Amino acid sequence: MNELHSTITPHCLLRRVKWLMLGRVIVITFLWGALVVVELTGDPTLSRLPLTYVILITYALTILYALGLRWQPDLERVYLGQVWVDLLIETAIIQSTGGLDSGFVFLYILSIISAGIALPGRSIFGVAAGASVLYSLLAYLDFYAITHPLPFPFTLRPEATPSGSYVLYATLQRMTAFWVVAMLSRYLAESLRQTGQVLQEQTAHLIGLRA
């Protein structure tokens, strides 16, 4: 097992899995509230139904995750699996709320940070790579108008046809952010691990002196 995880007890990892599920519910509830506000202040449209379906599916998956914890599964795999499913859900949300210029691209970054909290280094970078690939796919779909995401106000810019240079710039900018966050998360996780080891050694030394 990775050295980082040798300092994480099953109880601590279980707590982090539960926090991951709680955070997911908070974010998706906020998104649903934003959707309700848009519906009340604008003209209801069937084009927003896909986003509603994504929200309902996310709630359903979270309930299934909570029920699955009763069978005491491999918590590290459960955590990693949930993060990857979150990436897919976030991709659907971003595509449903403006695609390339969705205001919810930051959700990818939240998943990368979540991976950095409890997963080994290679998993963090794997999540960053997954976010990069999925966002690149969204950029491709947006540029070639293969799909049609929801219009403003969910996007950061009014509805318009993006140029090739803009798509390339936006994609590279977001991908760079994903990898920078992954590296910082890994660095902070490693720093915390080393700090924890030092504290354990000092505690053991003090106990030895008192004995």
Side-chain angles (χ1 to χ4, degrees):
M1 181 175 292
N2 187 276
E3 187 179 5
L4 171 64
H5 286 257
S6 62
T7 61
I8 300 179
T9 64
H11 176 73
C12 182
L13 189 55
L14 176 61
R15 187 170 65 237
R16 293 181 183 185
V17 170
K18 292 180 178 179
W19 274 108
L20 178 65
M21 293 190 293
L22 176 61
R24 182 185 304 112
V25 170
I26 292 174
V27 170
I28 208 67
T29 301
F30 170 80
L31 179 58
W32 201 345
L35 180 61
V36 170
V37 170
V38 170
E39 291 290 336
L40 292 177
T41 58
D43 296 327
T45 172
L46 293 177
S47 65
R48 297 192 180 103
L49 283 178
L51 180 58
T52 303
Y53 294 149
V54 172
I55 293 172
L56 293 176
I57 290 172
T58 304
Y59 278 125
L61 285 174
T62 303
I63 293 174
L64 292 177
Y65 293 153
L67 295 176
L69 292 178
R70 297 181 179 181
W71 281 270
Q72 298 181 344
D74 185 329
L75 293 177
E76 184 175 324
R77 291 185 178 180
V78 168
Y79 196 100
L80 179 60
Q82 288 193 30
V83 170
W84 276 99
V85 172
D86 285 346
L87 286 180
L88 297 176
I89 292 173
E90 290 154 8
T91 301
I93 292 174
I94 293 169
Q95 178 57 26
S96 300
T97 57
L100 182 64
D101 284 296
S102 170
F104 294 97
V105 176
F106 73 91
L107 294 177
Y108 282 140
I109 293 178
L110 293 182
S111 286
I112 296 171
I113 295 174
S114 297
I117 292 174
L119 297 175
R122 62 178 179 273
S123 296
I124 299 172
F125 297 128
V127 172
S132 299
V133 170
L134 291 172
Y135 187 79
S136 298
L137 176 61
L138 291 180
Y140 175 84
L141 296 175
D142 195 358
F143 180 69
Y144 289 100
I146 297 175
T147 57
H148 301 282
L150 294 180
F152 191 83
F154 285 111
T155 58
L156 298 179
R157 61 177 169 82
E159 187 176 7
T161 302
S163 64
S165 59
Y166 177 83
V167 171
L168 179 60
Y169 169 77
T171 303
L172 292 177
Q173 182 186 54
R174 269 69 167 192
M175 289 174 62
T176 300
F178 298 157
W179 285 95
V180 168
V181 170
M183 289 186 287
L184 289 176
S185 297
R186 177 57 182 170
Y187 172 78
L188 291 175
E190 182 64 19
S191 298
L192 289 174
R193 182 192 66 79
Q194 293 176 355
T195 302
Q197 285 185 340
V198 171
L199 291 176
Q200 289 178 356
E201 292 173 358
Q202 291 179 346
T203 301
H205 180 66
L206 289 175
I207 293 175
L209 292 176
R210 293 179 179 178

